[in-house]
Coordinates of all heavy atoms in Angstrom, one line a residue:
K1 N 104.8 78.2 111.5 CA 106.1 78.8 111.9 C 106.8 78.0 113.0 O 106.1 77.8 114.0 CB 105.9 80.3 112.3 CG 107.2 81.1 112.4 CD 107.7 81.5 111.0 CE 108.9 82.5 111.1 NZ 109.4 82.9 109.8
N2 N 108.0 77.6 112.7 CA 108.8 76.9 113.8 C 108.0 75.7 114.3 O 108.0 75.4 115.5 CB 109.2 77.8 114.9 CG 110.0 78.9 114.5 OD1 110.9 78.8 113.6 ND2 109.8 80.1 115.1
G3 N 107.3 74.9 113.4 CA 106.6 73.7 113.8 C 105.3 73.9 114.5 O 104.7 72.9 114.9
S4 N 104.8 75.2 114.5 CA 103.5 75.4 115.2 C 102.6 76.1 114.2 O 102.9 76.9 113.4 CB 103.7 76.3 116.4 OG 104.6 75.7 117.3
E5 N 101.3 75.7 114.4 CA 100.2 76.3 113.5 C 99.8 77.6 114.2 O 99.5 77.7 115.4 CB 99.1 75.3 113.4 CG 98.0 75.8 112.4 CD 96.9 74.8 112.3 OE1 96.4 74.3 113.3 OE2 96.5 74.4 111.2
R6 N 99.6 78.7 113.3 CA 99.2 80.0 113.8 C 97.9 80.4 113.2 O 97.8 80.8 112.0 CB 100.3 81.0 113.5 CG 101.6 80.7 114.0 CD 102.6 81.8 113.9 NE 102.9 82.2 112.5 CZ 103.8 83.1 112.2 NH1 104.5 83.7 113.1 NH2 104.0 83.5 110.9
R7 N 96.8 80.2 114.0 CA 95.5 80.4 113.4 C 95.1 81.9 113.5 O 93.9 82.2 113.2 CB 94.4 79.6 114.1 CG 94.7 78.1 113.9 CD 93.5 77.2 114.1 NE 93.7 75.9 113.7 CZ 92.7 75.0 113.6 NH1 91.5 75.3 113.9 NH2 93.0 73.7 113.2
D8 N 96.0 82.8 113.9 CA 95.7 84.2 113.9 C 96.6 84.9 112.8 O 96.7 86.1 112.8 CB 96.0 84.8 115.3 CG 97.5 84.7 115.7 OD1 98.2 83.9 115.1 OD2 97.9 85.4 116.6
S9 N 97.1 84.1 111.9 CA 97.9 84.6 110.8 C 97.1 85.0 109.6 O 96.0 84.6 109.4 CB 99.0 83.5 110.4 OG 98.3 82.4 109.8
I10 N 97.7 85.8 108.7 CA 97.1 86.2 107.5 C 96.8 85.1 106.6 O 95.7 85.0 106.0 CB 98.0 87.3 106.8 CG1 98.2 88.5 107.7 CG2 97.4 87.7 105.4 CD1 99.3 89.4 107.2
Q11 N 97.7 84.2 106.4 CA 97.5 83.0 105.5 C 96.4 82.1 106.0 O 95.6 81.7 105.2 CB 98.8 82.2 105.4 CG 98.7 81.2 104.3 CD 99.9 80.2 104.3 OE1 100.6 80.1 105.2 NE2 100.0 79.5 103.2
W12 N 96.3 81.9 107.3 CA 95.2 81.1 107.8 C 93.8 81.8 107.5 O 92.9 81.1 107.1 CB 95.4 80.9 109.3 CG 94.2 80.2 109.9 CD1 93.1 80.7 110.6 CD2 93.9 78.7 109.9 NE1 92.2 79.7 111.0 CE2 92.7 78.5 110.6 CE3 94.6 77.7 109.4 CZ2 92.2 77.3 110.7 CZ3 94.1 76.4 109.5 CH2 92.8 76.2 110.2
H13 N 93.8 83.1 107.8 CA 92.5 83.8 107.5 C 92.1 83.7 106.1 O 90.9 83.5 105.7 CB 92.7 85.3 108.0 CG 91.5 86.1 108.0 ND1 90.3 85.7 108.6 CD2 91.2 87.3 107.4 CE1 89.4 86.6 108.5 NE2 89.9 87.6 107.7
A14 N 93.1 83.9 105.2 CA 92.8 83.8 103.7 C 92.4 82.4 103.4 O 91.4 82.2 102.6 CB 94.0 84.2 102.9
A15 N 93.0 81.4 103.9 CA 92.7 80.0 103.6 C 91.2 79.7 104.0 O 90.5 78.9 103.3 CB 93.6 79.0 104.3
Q16 N 90.7 80.2 105.1 CA 89.4 80.0 105.6 C 88.4 80.5 104.5 O 87.3 79.8 104.3 CB 89.1 80.7 106.9 CG 90.0 80.3 108.0 CD 90.1 78.8 108.1 OE1 89.2 78.1 108.4 NE2 91.3 78.3 107.9
Q17 N 88.7 81.5 103.8 CA 87.7 82.1 102.8 C 87.5 81.1 101.7 O 86.4 80.9 101.2 CB 88.2 83.4 102.3 CG 88.7 84.4 103.3 CD 87.6 84.6 104.4 OE1 86.5 84.8 104.2 NE2 88.1 84.5 105.7
Y18 N 88.6 80.4 101.3 CA 88.5 79.4 100.2 C 88.0 78.1 100.7 O 87.3 77.4 99.9 CB 89.9 79.3 99.5 CG 90.2 80.5 98.7 CD1 90.9 81.6 99.3 CD2 89.8 80.6 97.4 CE1 91.2 82.7 98.6 CE2 90.1 81.8 96.7 CZ 90.8 82.8 97.3 OH 91.0 84.0 96.6
M19 N 88.2 77.7 101.9 CA 87.7 76.5 102.5 C 86.1 76.7 102.6 O 85.4 75.8 102.2 CB 88.3 76.2 103.8 CG 89.8 75.9 103.7 SD 90.7 75.9 105.3 CE 90.1 74.4 106.1
K20 N 85.7 77.9 103.0 CA 84.3 78.2 103.1 C 83.6 78.3 101.8 O 82.4 78.1 101.6 CB 84.0 79.4 103.9 CG 84.4 79.4 105.4 CD 84.3 80.7 106.1 CE 84.8 80.6 107.5 NZ 84.8 82.0 108.2
G21 N 84.4 78.6 100.8 CA 84.0 78.7 99.4 C 83.9 77.4 98.7 O 83.6 77.4 97.5
Q22 N 84.0 76.3 99.4 CA 83.9 75.0 98.9 C 84.8 74.7 97.8 O 84.4 74.0 96.8 CB 82.4 74.7 98.5 CG 81.4 74.8 99.7 CD 80.0 74.5 99.3 OE1 79.6 74.7 98.2 NE2 79.2 74.0 100.3
F23 N 86.0 75.1 97.9 CA 87.0 74.7 96.9 C 87.4 73.3 97.1 O 87.4 72.8 98.2 CB 88.3 75.6 97.0 CG 88.2 76.9 96.2 CD1 87.3 77.9 96.5 CD2 88.9 77.0 95.0 CE1 87.2 79.0 95.8 CE2 88.8 78.2 94.2 CZ 87.9 79.2 94.6
D24 N 87.7 72.6 96.0 CA 88.0 71.1 96.1 C 89.4 70.9 96.6 O 89.7 69.9 97.2 CB 87.9 70.5 94.7 CG 86.5 70.7 94.1 OD1 85.5 70.2 94.7 OD2 86.4 71.3 93.0
I25 N 90.3 71.8 96.3 CA 91.7 71.8 96.8 C 92.1 73.1 97.3 O 92.0 74.1 96.7 CB 92.7 71.3 95.7 CG1 92.4 69.8 95.4 CG2 94.1 71.6 96.1 CD1 93.3 69.3 94.2
V26 N 92.6 73.1 98.5 CA 93.3 74.3 99.1 C 94.7 73.8 99.6 O 94.7 73.0 100.6 CB 92.5 75.0 100.3 CG1 93.3 76.1 100.8 CG2 91.1 75.4 99.8
F27 N 95.7 74.2 98.9 CA 97.1 73.7 99.2 C 98.0 74.9 99.7 O 98.0 75.9 99.1 CB 97.7 73.1 97.9 CG 99.0 72.5 98.1 CD1 99.1 71.3 98.7 CD2 100.2 73.2 97.7 CE1 100.4 70.7 98.9 CE2 101.4 72.6 97.9 CZ 101.5 71.3 98.5

């Protein structure tokens, strides 16, 4: 948001689950 990464956001939290799930692509 506004050029800054927010690691306390809902989308970041959801992305971590798929990154930890060893997905080949998380876009």
Side-chain angles (χ1 to χ4, degrees):
K1 190 77 171 180
N2 299 324
S4 300
E5 188 178 49
R6 305 189 299 186
R7 297 200 171 191
D8 61 346
S9 65
I10 297 167
Q11 190 190 15
W12 173 263
H13 188 54
Q16 300 314 297
Q17 312 309 310
Y18 288 89
M19 294 165 73
K20 293 174 183 176
Q22 298 183 330
F23 272 72
D24 303 299
I25 289 177
V26 178
F27 184 78

